[in-house]
């Protein structure tokens, strides 16, 4: 890398919308179009209007999410030409067929285990409606999450597990008044609280397991070690409380699914301890931690271990609390380059001279600033230990970026005034990238939107919803019949 030409940022971008639309649709656009609706023409925007299934929610479009990333960028460019305020905001595209696909994958690999979606992972209203319609349960950690699920309609409170072992007394009482009785605990104080606030609770003891093989370990905060389980169960018995089963969480983003084997073995030990204490456990909750890429492997370990340690399970229910697995891949984010810091060209030096004085070509020399950062959707960098890989969505008014385009090492930053707000400290992007261009980010569905703040006055990014390319019809059918029953409106 030698000299960087710094172009004037004002009006740097000029999408010539109509002609370019035809030129730059993805080569597989016909496929996308045919799969999604059947009666649209190549070059025509297949999903411009979208459909209203739930009046309280934004419309649901059809078609591949990449088409909607492009549409979103074109719409944003159009409205910025009209000088609409905040027209170039970052935005998500959510592909609900991805969520549907994950559910099918779950059913195929773990047919015996009922998923209770962990709402905290992404409480998106469409995701919740789709999963409700598909018949999953829900893992809630607070009264607000419980209300959000019950307010959808059509979800019986028995489909909720209050899976936070350390709850406010008022939460336990209010959950009970809403009909939510299944809840976890891992300490003796919680038992006294439950006794006061909901003596009819169906308690699930959360145990400590090996969470050292995961991105986010929970063991330092939650889970009863096996050696204290007998005394906790004795205390519950003494208080006349009903303990119905055991739960664990191997840690979120578990990268060694063999830990499930050990966790199931421990659960077996707790079932036996329960019998000693005078309980007959009927519920095994295997928690979350399922990683998309390792899911089949995790399912294999789990199934093996369950067969080994629970050979007789006719009167037993097995549930899980997957979060990340369902939503991670379903959301993509488009971020707009709002600023750039690049060295000015020095006309007195030749390119060779400049190259010579450059200390380390691997060090980022150009900084890009986009309009979402670690205080927004990219909080996953801080809280969820994610490493972010941006790619180019549009450059200089085109969706086509040639592979031969020169690249350089650069860094990508969020919009706030805090220096911790770094999206990618070092990445490789085309050297021609400038203010007005758009970057894309995949796998932005888990632990992103849910924890985003509006620090420094930056809004949360909007979501464009699509029922997807493949699977669109099924998603549509499931949601429409859920709505037809009067739910989710
Ligand atoms: C966060 C959480 C989950 C979801 O974990 P994932 O790794 O996203 O699957 C499930 N159960 C409990 C109790 C949690 O705290």
């Amino acid at each position: 890398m030698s000299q960087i030409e710094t172009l004037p940022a004002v009006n740097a971008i000029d999408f010539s919308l109509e002609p370019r639309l035809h030129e730059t649709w993805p080569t597989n656009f016909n496929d996308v179009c045919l799969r999604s609706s059947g009666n649209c023409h190549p070059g025509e925007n297949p999903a411009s209007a979208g459909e209203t299934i739930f009046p309280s929610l934004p419309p649901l479009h059809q078609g591949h999410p990449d088409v909607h990333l492009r549409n979103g960028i074109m719409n944003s460019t159009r409205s910025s030409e009209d000088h609409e305020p905040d027209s170039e905001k970052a935005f998500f595209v959510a592909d609900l067929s991805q969520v549907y696909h994950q559910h099918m994958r779950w059913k195929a690999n773990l047919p015996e285990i009922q998923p209770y979606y962990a709402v905290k992972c992404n409480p998106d209203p469409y995701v919740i409606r789709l999963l409700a319609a598909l018949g999953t349960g829900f893992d809630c950690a607070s009264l607000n999450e419980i209300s959000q699920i019950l307010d959808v309609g059509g979800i019986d409170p028995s489909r909720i597990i209050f899976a936070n072992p350390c709850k406010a007394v008022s939460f336990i009482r209010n959950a009970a008044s809403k009909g939510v009785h299944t809840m976890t605990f891992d300490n003796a104080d919680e038992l006294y609280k439950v006794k006061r606030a909901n003596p009819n609770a169906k308690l699930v003891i959360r145990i400590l397991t090996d969470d050292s093989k995961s991105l986010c370990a929970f063991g330092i905060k939650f889970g009863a070690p096996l050696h204290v389980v007998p005394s906790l169960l004795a205390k519950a018995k003494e208080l006349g409380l009903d303990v119905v089963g055991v739960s664990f969480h191997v840690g979120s983003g578990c990268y060694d699914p063999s830990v499930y084997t050990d966790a199931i073995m421990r659960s077996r030990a707790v079932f036996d301890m329960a019998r000693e204490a005078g309980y007959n456990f009927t519920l095994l909750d295997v928690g979350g931690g399922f990683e998309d890429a390792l899911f089949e492997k995790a399912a294999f370990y789990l199934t093996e271990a369950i067969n080994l340690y629970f050979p007789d399970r006719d009167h037993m229910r097995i549930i899980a609390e997957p979060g990340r697995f369902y939503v991670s891949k379903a959301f993509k984010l488009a971020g707009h380059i709002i600023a750039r810091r690049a060295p000015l060209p020095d006309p007195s030096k030749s390119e060779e001279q400049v190259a010579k004085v450059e200390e380390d070509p691997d060090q980022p020399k150009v900084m890009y600033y986009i309009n979402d950062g670690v205080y927004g959707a990219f909080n996953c960098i801080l809280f969820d230990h994610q490493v972010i890989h941006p790619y180019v969505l549009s450059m200089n008014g085109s969706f086509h970026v040639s592979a031969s385009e020169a690249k350089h090492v650069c860094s990508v930053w969020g919009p706030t005034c805090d220096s911790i707000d770094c999206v990618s400290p070092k990445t490789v992007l085309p050297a021609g990238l400038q203010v007005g261009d758009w970057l894309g980010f995949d796998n932005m569905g888990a632990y992103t939107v849910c924890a985003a703040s509006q620090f420094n006055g930056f809004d949360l990014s909007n979501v464009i919803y699509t029922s997807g390319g493949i699977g669109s019809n099924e998603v549509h059918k499931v949601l429409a019949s859920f709505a037809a029953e009067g739910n989710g409106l």
Side-chain angles (χ1 to χ4, degrees):
M1 183 181 65
S2 53
Q3 294 188 350
I4 310 281
E5 193 192 355
T6 307
L7 299 171
V10 184
N11 291 337
I13 204 88
D14 178 26
F15 282 93
S16 33
L17 293 172
E18 287 319 312
R20 228 177 250 289
L21 193 71
H22 297 271
E23 282 167 28
T24 57
W25 281 117
T27 45
N28 63 346
F29 175 71
N30 283 342
D31 295 344
V32 170
C33 187
L34 290 172
R35 269 193 255 116
S36 62
S37 69
N39 59 355
C40 65
H41 308 288
E44 179 188 291
N45 178 344
S48 47
E51 188 191 353
T52 298
I53 298 178
F54 305 105
S56 58
L57 300 188
L60 181 62
H61 298 271
Q62 290 186 324
H64 195 279
D66 289 350
V67 171
H68 294 285
L69 285 170
R70 291 174 167 89
N71 281 347
I73 291 171
M74 288 192 291
N75 287 339
S76 144
T77 306
R78 234 178 250 134
S79 56
S80 87
E81 279 161 5
D82 296 341
H83 301 289
E84 280 179 28
D86 211 8
S87 53
E88 288 164 322
K89 260 175 83 163
F91 63 91
F92 288 98
V93 171
D95 176 2
L96 298 177
S97 70
Q98 257 304 322
V99 179
Y100 180 85
H101 173 73
Q102 295 297 77
H103 186 62
M104 293 305 133
R105 225 172 131 195
W106 184 281
K107 294 217 302 191
N109 286 279
L110 292 170
E112 233 186 304
I113 305 185
Q114 269 176 292
Y116 279 55
Y117 173 65
V119 175
K120 78 165 187 292
C121 182
N122 185 343
D124 180 89
Y126 263 111
V127 169
I128 284 169
R129 280 158 179 73
L130 179 59
L131 291 176
L134 290 170
T136 73
F138 294 93
D139 154 9
C140 298
S142 67
L143 204 55
N144 271 340
E145 286 187 356
I146 290 175
S147 302
Q148 194 192 345
I149 296 303
L150 293 178
D151 288 350
V152 166
I155 305 171
D156 193 88
S158 66
R159 281 165 68 185
I160 295 178
I161 180 167
F162 198 170
N164 184 341
C166 300
K167 301 167 284 297
V169 178
S170 62
F171 278 27
I172 301 171
R173 192 173 290 122
N174 277 286
S177 74
K178 290 172 182 294
V180 175
H181 297 291
T182 307
M183 62 189 74
T184 58
F185 78 102
D186 65 2
N187 63 84
D189 285 53
E190 198 73 6
L191 291 172
Y192 288 104
K193 282 154 54 188
V194 171
K195 174 73 180 170
R196 269 198 287 153
N198 182 6
N200 298 319
K202 302 277 174 223
L203 288 162
V204 179
I205 186 162
R206 164 108 169 240
I207 58 165
L208 191 61
T209 54
D210 177 11
D211 60 6
S212 62
K213 313 281 169 53
S214 59
L215 287 179
C216 308
F218 297 133
I220 59 162
K221 188 168 179 186
F222 297 119
L226 285 200
H227 67 89
V228 309
V229 169
S231 60
L232 284 177
L233 292 176
K235 178 55 73 184
K237 200 75 197 172
E238 182 191 317
L239 293 171
L241 294 169
D242 192 13
V243 188
V244 298
V246 58
S247 80
F248 59 80
H249 198 304
V250 296
S252 192
C254 175
Y255 49 82
D256 179 3
S258 70
V259 296
Y260 283 107
T261 309
D262 177 68
I264 295 294
M265 184 185 75
R266 293 190 201 201
S267 303
R268 172 75 254 174
V270 174
F271 265 66
D272 296 338
M273 291 171 189
R275 190 167 295 280
E276 290 283 299
Y279 287 110
N280 181 22
F281 275 12
T282 53
L283 183 71
L284 172 63
D285 175 355
V286 302
F290 302 91
E291 271 284 299
D292 181 74
L294 298 171
F295 176 66
E296 278 73 14
K297 212 169 168 188
F300 172 80
Y301 279 112
L302 256 181
T303 309
E304 288 265 287
I306 290 170
N307 285 337
L308 178 63
Y309 293 106
F310 293 91
D312 305 316
R313 49 180 186 274
D314 287 349
H315 302 290
M316 194 172 121
R317 221 156 63 81
I318 312 177
I319 69 170
E321 302 163 353
R324 189 189 301 278
F325 170 74
Y326 269 96
V327 288
S328 177
K329 282 201 299 190
F331 286 62
K332 294 168 184 269
L333 182 79
H336 190 229
I337 299 178
I338 53 169
R340 178 179 76 165
R341 181 202 305 274
L344 281 168
D346 183 346
S348 69
K349 292 204 177 93
S350 73
E351 277 196 25
E352 269 163 38
Q353 283 173 310
V354 173
K356 227 178 260 168
V357 295
E358 266 182 12
E359 333 73 66
D360 184 353
D362 285 343
Q363 280 315 301
K365 301 277 184 317
V366 178
M367 302 164 75
Y368 295 104
Y369 301 76
I370 60 172
N371 50 0
D372 203 340
V374 303
Y375 285 94
F378 292 105
N379 71 79
C380 57
I381 295 168
L382 301 183
F383 296 142
D384 198 29
H385 315 289
Q386 294 294 310
V387 176
I388 301 296
H389 303 287
Y391 57 89
V392 178
L393 278 176
S394 83
M395 196 167 116
N396 195 22
S398 168
F399 295 122
H400 180 74
V401 182
S402 153
S404 62
E405 193 77 40
K407 305 229 171 27
H408 62 191
V409 181
C410 57
S411 55
V412 179
W413 301 77
T416 69
C417 296
D418 191 345
S419 62
I420 201 178
D421 194 0
C422 180
V423 172
S424 179
K426 194 171 156 185
T427 188
V428 177
L429 289 168
L433 212 56
Q434 52 178 314
V435 171
D437 293 341
W438 289 81
L439 294 179
F441 304 87
D442 288 346
N443 305 323
M444 288 293 290
Y447 305 109
T448 51
V449 212
C450 50
S453 76
Q454 300 190 35
F455 174 63
N456 237 184
F458 291 96
D459 279 346
L460 305 184
S461 297
N462 293 329
V463 186
I464 296 170
Y465 294 94
T466 176
S467 56
I470 301 168
S472 178
N473 290 341
E474 287 84 348
V475 168
H476 198 270
K477 216 184 295 169
V478 167
L479 287 176
S481 67
F482 189 64
E485 289 161 13
N487 302 316
L489 305 177

